[in-house]
């Protein structure tokens, strides 16, 4: 594991030094979040594993992709693909293939980026991360506020609020033609305010024929009285991306010439997304608070599936209207109740077309026809009532709740049903690859209970236990984009039972969260050897996570996030002529660690050195192929040039490591990789005014 043993021993020994607790509670940490409860609260009173990437950290990192920001979260492992694409992991292996999305709920300002059943694995590129106030990460299925898709956790991007008068402009200039401009204009009029956040990104890319053009605009308005606060927002994002795919060959990422190549120069992804919402917080009386958030969503995407034989074109779209509600009432000094109802209606469309004949083997040419493969619409309706009861004394807090969720799909197939070409003729060599089920309706209902207990040991330490169930309904792509002889996908909802124990608090100069968990997942959806979508999988997930901030001296501070996890297959499945039960899941490194040492060199200058460690991991379910892992360093410096001017310099991949952002293996291509960038530099100049 190269440097990792020293790193882990140093970090853990720092935590368990025999240092006495402060008696006055002055070292207690306070982290205000909104993800744990739809009101701003101190999350440390909650029996939840919730982490936050602050605005200061986001500015210091200057992340060009959300993967860089989430490296600071223990248990998160976002693998950057190309451009704005990625594959996610949160207390899980990196999700790939069937089931790659739907296990992690992604939000912006508390609003899901996509509707239930219509997820996209890359959907966080629609969040305005570039202008975020913070990013909150809820790990595990920890709250009744989130149902479908919050199986392994929630990632919530909280946009900066300019309605109190924020005004700044910033310009990023970096290697390989990277430029990004950011602008915030806000006006505070007292009882109300308005503002706008804008970011424009242009990235020429390191590899051949790749690049990103992206624009994001976020408009906000605030109105408040003594009892009511209304915050409204509109976010519009537009992405035009020229995509570079995998490079193939064992350890090909170590060859700089091969790493730059792009075997799919025509690959692209165009995406447009619009969301509008209004969050109403009403203090009805001294004992009752009400939150109501109506929203609308409109999204369209077109991209070339360069990773499939025949390279078909896909167009998808969705339009949604929904509302989230919450009533919170204090019954007595010790008891509080929460009641709510979330509802949403969505229309989603999907169309896949192949413009050219398939190249390759005779079998591929015969079974993958030119023309239209899928064309359907799904109307989805969802409603979810929930209730929670909380007891709190001087030291104890008990939270018990449950959420019931009902989701109905009305699927309308606009083509001939079955395994045929567009005109109804059959394919040779056994039949066409793509199969379309007949129109119909499907419903899913789930009840998810939650139980959480926390105990305040003293003013600086809280211990907690959290027992929860998470679930996700099958996605529309899993139900209606079938292959081979499958005519209907009889799938159940994936469910996950989780138990977590942890401690969080302050220990003199140390602030920390230490958590351990065990999760068992049932009805995991995957594609079997007959290319049928089935929900017969089982997996087990257990891990230990540490997030720590250690003030070494007045000028030096260590921040670290470490996770050790074991994710295994628990069901009988023959793959590559072997049973994978008990195998470690592919793309599931045991150790992932991120550490930053910050030096306040002067009042105006801070220098930070970051070390990101990725352990080795298997790249196939049979555990026959693997990636060796990597250690990548970054150096950053922030100068406060004057009251208005600030400059930031960042050097990523400081020692020019040859590594892979993502490694994978398939029987068709062998080892394949998304290569990491060589050493790159980025300079930011920021001007702020009143």
């Amino acid at each position: 594991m190269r440097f990792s043993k020293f790193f882990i021993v140093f970090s853990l020994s720092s935590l368990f030094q025999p240092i006495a607790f402060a008696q006055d509670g002055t070292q207690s940490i306070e982290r205000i979040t909104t993800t744990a409860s739809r009101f701003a609260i101190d999350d440390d009173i909650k029996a939840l594993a919730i982490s936050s990437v602050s605005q200061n950290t986001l500015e210091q990192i200057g992340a060009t992709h959300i993967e860089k920001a989430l490296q600071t979260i223990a248990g998160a492992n976002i693998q950057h693909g190309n451009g704005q694409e990625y594959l996610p992991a949160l207390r899980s292996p990196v999700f790939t293939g069937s089931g790659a999305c739907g296990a992690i709920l992604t939000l912006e300002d508390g609003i899901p980026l996509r509707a239930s059943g219509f997820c996209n694995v890359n959907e966080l590129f629609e969040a305005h991360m570039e202008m975020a106030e913070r990013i909150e990460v809820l790990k595990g299925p920890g709250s009744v506020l989130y149902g479908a898709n919050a199986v392994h956790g929630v990632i919530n991007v909280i946009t900066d609020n300019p309605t109190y008068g924020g005004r700044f402009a910033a310009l990023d200039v970096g290697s390989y033609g990277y430029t990004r401009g950011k602008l915030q204009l806000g006006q505070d009029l007292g009882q109300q305010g308005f503002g706008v956040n804008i970011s424009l990104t242009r990235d020429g890319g390191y590899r051949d024929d790749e690049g990103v053009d992206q624009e994001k605009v976020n408009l906000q308005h605030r109105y408040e009285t003594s009892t009511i606060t209304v915050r409204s927002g509109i976010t519009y994002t537009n992405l035009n991306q020229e995509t570079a795919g995998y490079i193939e060959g064992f350890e090909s990422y170590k060859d700089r010439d091969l790493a730059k190549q792009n075997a799919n120069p025509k690959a692209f992804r165009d995406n447009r997304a619009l969301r509008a919402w209004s969050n109403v917080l009403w203090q009805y009386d001294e004992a009752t608070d009400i939150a109501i958030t109506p929203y609308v969503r409109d999204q369209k995407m077109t991209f070339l599936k360069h990773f499939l034989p025949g390279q078909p074109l896909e167009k998808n779209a969705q339009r949604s209207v929904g509302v989230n509600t919450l009533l919170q009432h204090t019954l007595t000094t010790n008891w509080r109740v929460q009641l709510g109802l979330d509802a949403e209606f969505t229309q989603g469309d999907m169309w896949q077309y192949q413009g050219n004949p398939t190249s390759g083997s005779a079998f591929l040419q015969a079974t993958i026809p030119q023309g239209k493969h899928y064309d359907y619409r799904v109307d989805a309706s969802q409603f979810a009532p929930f209730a929670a009861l909380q007891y709190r004394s001087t030291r104890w807090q008990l939270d018990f709740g449950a959420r019931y969720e009902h989701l109905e799909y009305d699927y309308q197939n606009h083509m001939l049903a079955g395994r045929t070409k567009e005109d109804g003729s059959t394919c040779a060599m056994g039949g066409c690859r793509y199969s379309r089920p007949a129109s119909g309706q499907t419903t899913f209902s789930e009840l998810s209970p939650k139980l959480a207990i926390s105990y305040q040991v003293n003013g600086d330490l809280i211990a907690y236990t959290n027992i929860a169930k998470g679930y996700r309904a099958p996605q529309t792509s899993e139900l209606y984009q079938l292959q081979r002889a499958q005519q209907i996908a009889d799938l159940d909802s994936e469910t996950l039972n989780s138990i977590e124990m942890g401690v969080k608090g302050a220990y003199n100069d140390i602030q920390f969260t230490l958590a351990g968990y065990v999760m068992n997942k049932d009805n995991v959806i995957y594609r079997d050897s007959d290319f049928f979508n089935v929900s017969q999988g089982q997996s087990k997930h257990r891990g230990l996570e540490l997030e720590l901030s250690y003030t070494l001296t007045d000028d030096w501070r260590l921040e670290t996030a470490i996770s050790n996890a074991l994710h295994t297959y628990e069901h009988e499945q023959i793959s590559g002529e072997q049973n994978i039960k008990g195998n470690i899941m592919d793309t599931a490194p045991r150790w992932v660690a991120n550490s930053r040492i910050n030096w306040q060199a002067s009042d105006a200058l801070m220098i930070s050195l970051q070390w990101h460690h990725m352990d080795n991991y298997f790249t196939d379910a049979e555990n026959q192929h693997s990636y060796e892992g990597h250690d990548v360093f970054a150096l950053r410096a922030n100068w406060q040039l004057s009251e208005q001017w600030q400059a930031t310099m960042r050097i990523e991949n400081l020692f020019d490591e040859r590594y892979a952002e993502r490694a994978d293996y398939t029987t068709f291509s062998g080892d394949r990789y998304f290569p990491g960038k060589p050493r790159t530099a980025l300079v930011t100049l920021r001007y702020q005014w009143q």
Side-chain angles (χ1 to χ4, degrees), residues 439-514:
S439 299
Q441 294 183 334
T442 309
T443 61
F444 300 93
S445 299
E446 290 290 340
L447 179 69
S448 58
K450 320 281 183 179
L451 174 64
I453 304 172
S454 63
Y455 177 70
Q456 187 155 6
V457 180
N458 56 35
D460 297 305
L461 185 65
I462 294 173
Y464 69 91
T465 300
N466 184 19
I467 303 172
K469 176 185 176 182
Y471 61 91
R472 76 165 181 94
Q475 303 297 294
T476 55
S477 58
E478 295 165 330
L479 289 168
Y480 308 126
Q481 296 176 36
L482 305 182
Q483 292 191 18
R484 310 293 174 103
Q486 189 170 25
Q487 298 296 310
I488 185 171
D490 185 16
L491 303 178
D492 295 322
S493 295
E494 289 188 358
T495 60
L496 180 144
N497 294 309
S498 169
I499 181 168
E500 172 187 348
M501 300 181 70
V503 291
K504 49 187 175 181
Y507 202 54
N508 268 8
D509 295 321
I510 300 173
Q511 297 176 348
F512 65 91
T513 299
L514 180 65

Side-chain angles (χ1 to χ4, degrees), residues 176-240:
Y176 306 108
Y178 184 88
T179 59
R180 179 173 63 187
K182 298 193 290 186
L183 176 66
Q184 181 180 90
L185 297 173
Q187 183 67 48
D188 183 6
L189 301 177
Q191 194 176 34
Q192 63 177 319
F194 57 88
V196 59
N197 296 315
I198 302 173
S199 65
L200 306 175
T201 301
R202 300 290 182 265
D203 186 0
Y206 159 64
R207 299 174 61 191
D208 297 337
D209 300 303
E210 72 155 310
V212 170
D213 293 343
Q214 189 168 36
E215 302 84 34
K216 299 182 180 181
V217 180
N218 173 235
L219 303 173
Q220 295 193 34
H221 178 264
R222 167 186 53 84
Y223 173 79
E224 55 190 348
T225 68
S226 59
T227 58
I228 295 178
T229 299
V230 182
R231 183 185 174 197
S232 303
I234 299 175
T235 296
Y236 174 81
T237 68
N238 182 65
L239 172 67
N240 300 110

Side-chain angles (χ1 to χ4, degrees), residues 111-112 115 276-278 292-298 319-325 341-346 380-383:
I111 307 299
W277 51 270
S278 186
I292 302 174
T293 307
Y295 60 89
V296 296
R297 185 194 296 118
D298 185 31
R319 299 155 298 281
S320 303
V321 58
V323 62
N324 295 335
T325 68
L341 174 67
D342 297 342
E344 181 176 274
F345 176 78
T346 302
S381 55
Q382 175 190 29
F383 68 88

Side-chain angles (χ1 to χ4, degrees), residues 28 83 110 116 246 255 305 313 390 406 412 510 528 616 641:
S28 296
S116 294
Y246 286 101
D255 187 316
K305 291 184 168 180
L313 185 73
Q390 180 185 98
H406 179 82
Q412 304 154 45
I510 300 173
D528 67 11
N616 56 41
L641 303 175

Side-chain angles (χ1 to χ4, degrees), residues 315-350:
K315 294 183 179 180
N316 60 65
Q318 57 179 279
R319 299 155 298 281
S320 303
V321 58
V323 62
N324 295 335
T325 68
L326 175 64
L327 183 147
Q328 181 172 278
H329 180 68
T330 301
L331 300 171
T332 68
T333 304
N334 302 111
W335 292 93
R336 184 171 67 181
V337 65
Q338 290 182 324
L339 302 170
L341 174 67
D342 297 342
E344 181 176 274
F345 176 78
T346 302
Q347 282 188 337
D349 299 288
M350 191 275 179

